[in-house]
Amino acid sequence: MKNIFLTAAVTSVALVSCGTVQSLVQNTFPYTANVLVSTGVPADKEVSSTATASNIQTWFGGNNDAKIKDVRISDAKVSVVSPSGGTLNAFKSIKVYISSNGTGEKLVASRSNIATDASSINLDLENTGFLNSVVKSTGVTVRTVYELKNQTSSDMNLRVALNFSSVPAN
């Protein structure tokens, strides 16, 4: 009986330790872009907005020797910043692309058939594979493409928040 208790305690400690180590070695880093939707934007036409990913550059600075690997998109969310109380019900679709100097553009998240009165939505993540070469390059940019169902009655500011995850390279 004593051995069973001791074995159970050691196993519990080992499992908790493995979970702690896993959370310590897996990195998550954010990127946020602001998108202005003007009242003059026509409905049923795709419109594009591009922003430089300065906070990704802060993390890696175009450092191809950064000791990370297996970089993937882990979360993508769009929120209305202004007007206060604004909703996403005017939007038909939203797509988010990422690229950098020397890499092609990759679709990382999207949502179509948006039908919500909420002020934020999670986008559907695309299976882009690993984004190591993109985030470790210089000049990382994020392009947001959106289409409206109808014109907005006032300017709208959106925040596109992307989270990337990685693991340490050997």
Side-chain angles (χ1 to χ4, degrees):
M1 188 68 165
K2 194 175 187 182
N3 286 339
I4 293 173
F5 178 72
L6 184 59
T7 303
V10 169
T11 303
S12 297
V13 168
L15 290 174
V16 169
S17 303
C18 289
T20 303
V21 169
Q22 178 68 21
S23 67
L24 289 174
V25 298
Q26 187 165 358
N27 301 312
T28 301
F29 50 97
Y31 170 73
T32 305
N34 292 316
V35 176
L36 173 65
V37 179
S38 300
T39 54
V41 172
D44 298 319
K45 180 181 177 188
E46 283 193 342
V47 178
S48 179
S49 173
T50 303
T52 302
S54 58
N55 41 355
I56 289 177
Q57 293 303 92
T58 301
W59 281 81
F60 300 109
N63 182 0
N64 268 327
D65 294 329
K67 303 296 183 202
I68 60 167
K69 66 179 183 176
D70 301 347
V71 178
R72 294 181 185 261
I73 183 81
S74 60
D75 183 53
K77 186 175 186 174
V78 174
S79 305
V80 177
V81 176
S82 68
S84 180
T87 68
L88 295 165
N89 63 359
F91 288 85
K92 185 184 285 186
S93 66
I94 299 173
K95 300 174 192 169
V96 180
Y97 297 85
I98 188 170
S99 64
S100 66
N101 295 338
T103 67
E105 190 173 66
K106 294 185 178 194
L107 177 65
V108 293
S110 65
R111 176 66 75 95
S112 56
N113 301 320
I114 298 171
T116 181
D117 286 330
S119 62
S120 66
I121 58 169
N122 288 320
L123 300 179
D124 300 321
L125 302 180
E126 301 294 327
N127 185 11
T128 58
F130 297 126
L131 299 167
N132 300 346
S133 60
V134 177
V135 300
K136 291 166 90 175
S137 297
T138 58
V140 177
T141 58
V142 171
R143 184 169 70 98
T144 305
V145 177
Y146 61 89
E147 185 176 353
L148 298 175
K149 290 184 240 181
N150 46 42
Q151 284 187 313
T152 59
S153 57
S154 64
D155 286 353
M156 183 180 286
N157 286 303
L158 303 178
R159 176 173 296 123
V160 178
L162 304 176
N163 283 309
F164 298 90
S165 64
S166 68
V167 295
N170 295 337

